[in-house]
Amino acid sequence: MPLGSRAGPGRSDPPVRLLRAANPSPLTGTGTNTWLVGGSGLAVIDPGPDDPAHLAAILSVPGPGQRIDRIIVTHAHRDHSALAPRLAAATGAPIVAFGGALDGRSPLMTRLAGSLPDGGEGLDLAFTPDQHLADGDTLTGPDWSLTAVHTPGHLGGHLCLALGDTLFSGDHVMGWSTSIVSPPDGDMGAYMASLHRLAARNWQRFLPGHGEPVDDPAGRMAYLIAHRHQREAQILGALTGAPWHIPALTARIYHDIPPPLLRAAERNVFAHLIDLASRNLVVADPTLHPDALFYRA
């Protein structure tokens, strides 16, 4: 699906096309968005799940005189990265990302990782890029230029990609849902810092990893920041009266949540509790763990 150009006077934006993988679920919405940028030399952003039909759809896009030059992965979750090796083998294009699934973890999450259960959000532990892309690095093609914006939070190695004032926002900012932050893969403190960093710039449009384009980036980021602050206030309010375990605390905060999303909600609550503990606002007994009893400090 081609998207209309947002070019300004004297500027011509490259073509941007969307292919959506057929992997709908409560966590992926209508499926993973694969974005194709450029004319003669294409950049593929988030090739998606390892699905032969989606691979064939991507390979059908380049016409005469066109080729796929780069395969860029925003983060190493399987619904975004798993198809990258097969697409690279079919096209010869290098795979570019911040790093592997565990790269970019904060010192706190690295320390906690050994004692926590798996985050359960589909880490692609086999993922290895051919080229590492750091914050501020720029990739260029015949008619496009993409600059990496490191946005840890949903995953330590999560990247957004700036095409002028349009941002490919991966799973960091989406219009259909809030992002899951699931420790030790996700880090709520880092997620909030990344949101504030993005909010400091005047973006015109976000093209996310799931769902439809976000045409009011400032409004969406303001909502997401306020939403997380509200969740934090709810947690602190509950803990003021009594200590809580995470399942009961989640049931108090999340009303009428669909059963398939309950575990993700519990992981989000845990992410908030870790962040609050790092700021000395809550205490975990006996230690930071999903099974701990949490008190207001």
Side-chain angles (χ1 to χ4, degrees):
M1 180 178 80
L3 298 181
S5 174
R6 291 279 173 122
R11 195 182 95 207
S12 177
D13 285 347
V16 176
R17 283 160 284 194
L18 167 62
L19 294 175
R20 183 166 289 147
N23 62 329
S25 78
L27 297 180
T28 60
T30 52
T32 299
N33 290 339
T34 296
W35 298 100
L36 296 99
V37 182
S40 59
L42 294 167
V44 175
I45 300 174
D46 283 345
D50 189 4
D51 173 25
H54 193 55
L55 175 64
I58 296 172
L59 293 175
S60 72
V61 170
Q66 296 180 321
R67 65 191 182 280
I68 292 173
D69 277 347
R70 303 283 177 83
I71 301 164
I72 309 170
V73 174
T74 61
H75 63 293
H77 278 150
R78 288 191 297 272
D79 61 314
H80 293 259
S81 61
L83 191 59
R86 293 177 64 181
L87 183 59
T91 63
I95 302 168
V96 186
F98 181 87
L102 304 183
D103 290 329
R105 271 186 176 173
S106 68
L108 173 60
M109 291 302 154
T110 299
R111 179 170 60 83
L112 291 176
S115 62
L116 296 184
D118 174 48
E121 302 308 327
L123 275 184
D124 187 353
L125 292 172
F127 177 74
T128 303
D130 301 305
Q131 179 183 345
H132 291 258
L133 196 61
D135 183 63
D137 286 350
T138 297
L139 297 173
T140 58
D143 60 352
W144 53 264
S145 177
L146 293 165
T147 299
V149 184
H150 183 212
T151 50
H154 176 67
L155 197 66
H158 191 285
L159 290 177
C160 296
L161 297 149
L163 178 70
D165 55 15
T166 293
L167 187 74
F168 296 92
S169 57
D171 280 4
H172 192 72
V173 178
M174 300 175 287
W176 76 283
S177 175
T178 57
S179 296
I180 292 174
V181 181
S182 181
D185 309 330
D187 183 322
M188 187 62 69
Y191 174 78
M192 293 300 292
S194 295
L195 270 181
H196 283 288
R197 182 187 179 199
L198 289 182
R201 179 166 167 179
N202 184 27
W203 303 99
Q204 292 300 309
R205 202 180 203 198
F206 284 174
L207 302 179
H210 304 276
E212 301 307 311
V214 177
D215 290 324
D216 180 16
R220 183 58 179 165
M221 286 186 289
Y223 167 81
L224 292 174
I225 291 169
H227 171 74
R228 295 296 183 176
H229 285 161
Q230 179 187 29
R231 287 282 185 240
E232 181 178 288
Q234 289 175 312
I235 291 170
L236 289 173
L239 294 179
T240 298
W244 290 79
H245 286 100
I246 286 176
L249 183 58
T250 303
R252 173 171 174 156
I253 293 172
Y254 287 82
H255 304 291
D256 302 322
I257 189 170
L261 296 178
L262 182 59
R263 185 171 183 272
E266 291 179 353
R267 300 298 291 185
N268 267 325
V269 169
F270 183 42
H272 274 291
L273 288 165
I274 292 174
D275 181 47
L276 290 167
S278 73
R279 293 151 54 195
N280 299 315
L281 294 174
V282 305
V283 176
D285 181 20
T287 187
L288 278 174
H289 191 274
D291 296 333
L293 187 64
F294 289 89
Y295 300 80
R296 182 75 183 261

